[in-house]
Amino acid sequence: MSYTFKNVYTKPNAETNIDFWTSDILTLIDTYFDAGKITQKPVKVVDGLTETYTTIFKDRASYDEFTAESACTSNLNKMETYCDENGISWNLVEDE
């Protein structure tokens, strides 16, 4: 059964960019997509100051494997710092 993961960010203003994706995490996404473990790369939807990125994994095991990767944990740390420094609120939503 597929596993959906959403990153939801709310910016304080239109001038603030969501810009913390590292080349390592983008490469990891491509690797998992090529292996069939990600069936939909992150799709961005903008609603005012809220940006939602939805990724669909093949299953929960693929998601768990992805989140255990060092590139993923490193990017999460960078994202948290970037959001804190730029006044961006965020929420990670998992949906089986």
Side-chain angles (χ1 to χ4, degrees), residues 21 29 38 40-44 53-56:
W21 300 85
I29 290 168
I38 288 179
Q40 175 186 290
K41 291 182 182 182
V43 173
K44 176 180 166 182
Y53 296 80
T54 302
T55 306
I56 301 176

Side-chain angles (χ1 to χ4, degrees), residues 18 37 55 58 64:
I18 302 295
K37 295 179 181 183
T55 306
K58 178 181 83 171
D64 290 342

Side-chain angles (χ1 to χ4, degrees), residues 29-48:
I29 290 168
D30 287 341
T31 300
Y32 272 65
F33 183 78
D34 292 344
K37 295 179 181 183
I38 288 179
T39 58
Q40 175 186 290
K41 291 182 182 182
V43 173
K44 176 180 166 182
V45 175
V46 178
D47 182 12

Side-chain angles (χ1 to χ4, degrees), residues 15-95:
E15 291 75 35
T16 302
N17 292 317
I18 302 295
D19 184 26
F20 51 79
W21 300 85
T22 64
S23 61
D24 289 345
I25 195 67
L26 296 174
T27 298
L28 185 61
I29 290 168
D30 287 341
T31 300
Y32 272 65
F33 183 78
D34 292 344
K37 295 179 181 183
I38 288 179
T39 58
Q40 175 186 290
K41 291 182 182 182
V43 173
K44 176 180 166 182
V45 175
V46 178
D47 182 12
L49 296 176
T50 300
E51 294 184 14
T52 302
Y53 296 80
T54 302
T55 306
I56 301 176
F57 291 83
K58 178 181 83 171
D59 52 24
R60 175 65 192 238
S62 297
Y63 168 79
D64 290 342
E65 181 182 346
F66 181 86
T67 59
E69 297 274 1
S70 63
C72 185
T73 55
S74 175
N75 194 74
L76 178 61
N77 291 335
K78 184 176 180 182
M79 184 262 318
E80 289 174 344
T81 300
Y82 185 85
C83 288
D84 288 346
E85 291 175 351
N86 290 280
I88 300 168
S89 63
W90 56 276
N91 189 21
L92 307 177
V93 180
E94 302 175 28
D95 186 21

